[in-house]
Amino acid sequence: MKPYLFFLALIVSTPAILWAQAENNIWAFGTGAGLDFNGGPPVAITTAIEVHEGSAAICDDQGRLLFYTGGRRAWNRNHSLMPNGTGLLPGVPVTGTLSANSSGSQQALIVPVPATLGKYYIFALQSENFPGRLYYSLVDMSLDNGLGDVVVGKKGVLLDNIALTEKMIAVAGDRCNVWLIVRCRNENQYRVYEITDEGIQPPVLYDVGRMPLFSYMRGVMKVSPDRKKLAVVCNGNSGIELYDFDPAIGSISNPVWIDSGALPQNAAPRGYYGCSFSPDNSRLYASIDNDIYQFDMNAGSIPGIRASKTLIVSYTASTIGDLKIGPDQKIYFTEYYPATFVNVIQLPNNLGTASQPMIHAIGVMPGTKAGIGLPNELVITPLPDTLSGIENIAVCFRDSVLLTAATGRRYLWNTGDTSRTITIKKPGTYTVSYRNDCSRHVDTYNVVFYQVPDVHVIAPGCGEKNDGIATVQPYTEDTAVYHYTWMDVSGRVLKERAGSGGDTLTGLATGRYSVRIRIPATGCDTLLYVAIEQFSGVRAAFNSDSFACVGQAIHFEQTGDTAQWVWDFGNGSVDSLTFSPVYTYPDEGVYPVSLVVFDTAGCSDTQEIWITVTDFDLQLSSDGDDLDPGSVLQLSTSADDPYTITGWQPVHLFHNQQALNQVLYADSTREYVVYGFSGYGCADSARVLVSVNPFIFIPSAFTPDGDGRNDFFRPVMNDVSVSIRSFSVFDRWGKCIWTGVGAAGIAGWDGSYEGRAAESGVYFYTIELRVGGRIHTRKGDVTLIR
């Protein structure tokens, strides 16, 4: 049967993720410097910030300042330190004068927590002279009487322990998510974190880039306003790289070099520092020492972009810092000395000098300095719109219905269930809320059950009298309008009637009849059968259970008159030999069991009982596979019907043998088994195999001095099935000085290079191991000690 469905949806358009607008109206940078764009042309203001380079600031959607940071500390809108706003960047001094050696190009970044009002991430990078780790802190604007503060326990949380450069930006995704991009210091790799309303996801690694590793250390990277291109400036003689960026999946690809930054022969190399795309994506501006160059992104080819390089600013008084698009669609840039002015490119979408650069456009406030950095770009995720749906469901002649929500995540039903589907056995209104990309859904299901009407014989027939009577009757509380069509065994219509309540058909000869039952308003439609048996003086009667499990024996006991009989078990099986049979149903379902008894004249009597046979399918799942030893493992049971658990195996691992779910530490590959019963008493078991990886330890130092202890650098493993596909060691300049494969890789490096003892110091390695059918890659450093 098809239920009658009606769906009504209130749909509110959901905007795509936006670059910050009014949220970008106040900047804080340098030593106490700032700009306010709220009144039109920017006005210099005084702030409490103290940075040489990277900073970040954010306003609300009306342009009112919320807070700002330089990575180490955070200040509120009153320019006061937040109560818990110091020490955001572990290992970097919190107080005292900030030296250039402890600052980074893009060391600070603010990202609003997606789909969450009033909470913000502060990301902070250690600079070149520190290990280069990435940390985050969480700001809650409801704290400190609405001025905002860093959440206790969420300050200076280590996010990435890999050595990173000073480059860090956020880019808008296509699903109300944000991509956080950083660059590795010792590997040719970008690390891209996805930030959603569920938190910060593990990074995806992109091994792209064509420049020497050292050249990526300082300077900035920027994404184009259309989010399709990524520009990365490099130090020394390395210049500028362009990449393709896909905001749908956060991928970085297709690196191309567009400028080296080199001067004529015998001149010292120069390093690019700042850059910015124009608001319409057509131009790229980059600062190098005292100059700013423009590249035409519409030149049609990479050689064309290179050839379009045009000098638009040559500022002999000072080194030029970073460039940033303002809320007024102009590009602003800073100066290192005397750092008392902010400069502007007034028409950055125009070619060449038609872009109208202006030096000393805005003077900073007395006592403040601009420095060389400007606030990092902001990405704002809109709060989710709500989509509402209503579905009216008529459950036709069944005792349950499965409600399934649309594809999404984070489901919550008004029943308390958190799965996508629930089984309903009672009428009522059921709601489910869930998230799907940039929208929040709240769907409502109005469920009405229609039970199978009762069809039975009031009076049997016997001989030629045609005095049989049959009736159909809905349940008492059912007020729906039914349509009944009575038919004989050949399908000929005997009677039709529409209305509430039941119906009766009289004057029936012995034989089999059917009644089609419809509820037009709902689409419910079924066909039921009734048999007019020949009357006799015998009486058919029997007892049995009305519920049973698949595979469970049911006892049918005759209690009526003794005569000839036929049992019909409702599934095509009959028995005319056994007086009180025992029968087992192989499949679940609802079966009409009838007993027909006959007298010697051929008249009969019939009793019918409906038997409900249910099946119980117990499921067992784990939340992981291919785990490391000691990993936390959760085992979860589930079933479509209510159930209880009676035991777990291996028994010694589970102290609570009746728990629905179990949490334990994975120690080895093994099978777990659970046993249970349904509410109807049906038994079942389920099992799951969980694989645990072998232990692999890679030392961080070794001493090849020939004393027989720790003379080789090699992995330590507890599983002989692990094989080494490749094992290489590099010096600090990236030169490969040793490679081992297979047995040579297991034997390890003896600390020599070309037959001579290698120098003491730090070396870098990559190792690729095969564990079972999977490949594992590890990278790191090792210290050679002599």
Side-chain angles (χ1 to χ4, degrees), residues 414-747:
N414 61 342
T415 60
D417 291 280
T418 57
S419 60
R420 183 183 176 190
T421 61
I422 61 172
T423 299
I424 299 302
K425 296 186 176 181
K426 295 181 179 180
T429 298
Y430 299 87
T431 61
V432 59
S433 62
Y434 56 96
R435 293 292 309 280
N436 188 351
D437 292 341
C438 295
S439 61
R440 176 176 180 267
H441 294 251
V442 179
D443 292 340
T444 300
Y445 300 86
N446 297 317
V447 180
V448 178
F449 282 83
Y450 294 93
Q451 297 181 335
V452 180
D454 177 40
V455 178
H456 63 275
V457 174
I458 295 179
C462 187
E464 304 297 330
K465 296 182 179 180
N466 294 343
D467 54 359
I469 302 173
T471 186
V472 58
Q473 186 64 49
Y475 283 78
T476 305
E477 61 271 17
D478 193 341
T479 60
V481 174
Y482 284 80
H483 191 285
Y484 302 107
T485 302
W486 294 91
M487 293 171 285
D488 63 16
V489 70
S490 66
R492 180 171 59 93
V493 175
L494 303 177
K495 179 184 179 183
E496 288 189 275
R497 177 185 175 273
S500 59
D503 191 35
T504 300
L505 184 64
T506 62
L508 301 177
T510 56
R512 188 175 179 85
Y513 299 87
S514 64
V515 57
R516 182 183 179 189
I517 305 171
R518 293 182 294 131
I519 308 176
T522 65
C524 294
D525 192 339
T526 191
L527 189 66
L528 300 179
Y529 294 90
V530 63
I532 301 297
E533 303 293 349
Q534 194 172 32
F535 175 77
S536 71
V538 294
R539 183 176 61 88
F542 69 95
N543 294 325
S544 72
D545 293 330
S546 58
F547 290 92
C549 303
V550 172
Q552 174 185 323
I554 305 177
H555 295 264
F556 298 97
E557 180 182 2
Q558 280 202 54
T559 60
D561 296 327
T562 301
Q564 291 182 318
W565 63 85
V566 174
W567 290 94
D568 185 338
F569 299 107
N571 63 349
S573 298
V574 296
D575 185 351
S576 61
L577 300 176
T578 309
F579 184 74
S580 293
V582 176
Y583 189 76
T584 301
Y585 286 91
D587 301 304
E588 64 179 345
V590 180
Y591 301 96
V593 178
S594 62
L595 171 64
V596 182
V597 295
F598 304 91
D599 63 9
T600 57
C603 293
S604 64
D605 187 33
T606 302
Q607 182 187 358
E608 185 177 73
I609 295 179
W610 288 79
I611 305 294
T612 300
V613 180
T614 62
D615 194 10
F616 176 42
D617 183 17
L618 181 62
Q619 300 290 325
L620 177 61
S621 63
S622 68
D623 66 346
D625 198 11
D626 290 330
L627 304 174
D628 292 328
S631 298
V632 176
L633 172 66
Q634 178 162 330
L635 302 177
S636 303
T637 64
S638 61
D640 292 336
D641 300 311
Y643 64 97
T644 56
I645 297 300
T646 58
W648 291 81
Q649 288 184 352
V651 175
H652 69 280
L653 294 179
F654 305 106
H655 300 295
N656 185 355
Q657 287 288 302
Q658 285 73 48
L660 295 179
N661 305 303
Q662 300 280 7
V663 177
L664 66 158
Y665 293 99
D667 57 352
S668 62
T669 298
R670 67 171 74 235
E671 184 178 62
Y672 301 94
V673 185
V674 64
Y675 302 88
F677 283 94
S678 72
Y680 296 110
C682 302
D684 195 21
S685 64
R687 59 193 65 227
V688 65
L689 179 66
V690 179
S691 299
V692 177
N693 294 322
F695 171 79
I696 301 173
F697 169 72
I698 301 179
S700 60
F702 75 115
T703 57
D705 53 11
D707 64 353
R709 297 179 299 173
N710 203 24
D711 288 333
F712 292 86
F713 172 50
R714 57 194 173 195
V716 178
M717 299 170 288
N718 69 344
D719 192 335
V720 297
S721 67
V722 180
S723 62
I724 296 179
R725 297 184 63 188
S726 65
F727 188 8
S728 301
V729 178
F730 306 84
D731 63 16
R732 59 180 175 173
W733 293 280
K735 181 177 181 180
C736 181
I737 63 173
W738 178 82
T739 297
V741 179
I746 294 176

Side-chain angles (χ1 to χ4, degrees), residues 217-236:
M217 179 61 68
R218 294 182 295 275
V220 304
M221 60 179 166
K222 298 288 179 70
V223 71
S224 58
D226 63 7
R227 304 173 295 151
K228 294 181 179 179
K229 292 291 182 181
L230 185 68
V232 176
V233 300
C234 298
N235 314 133

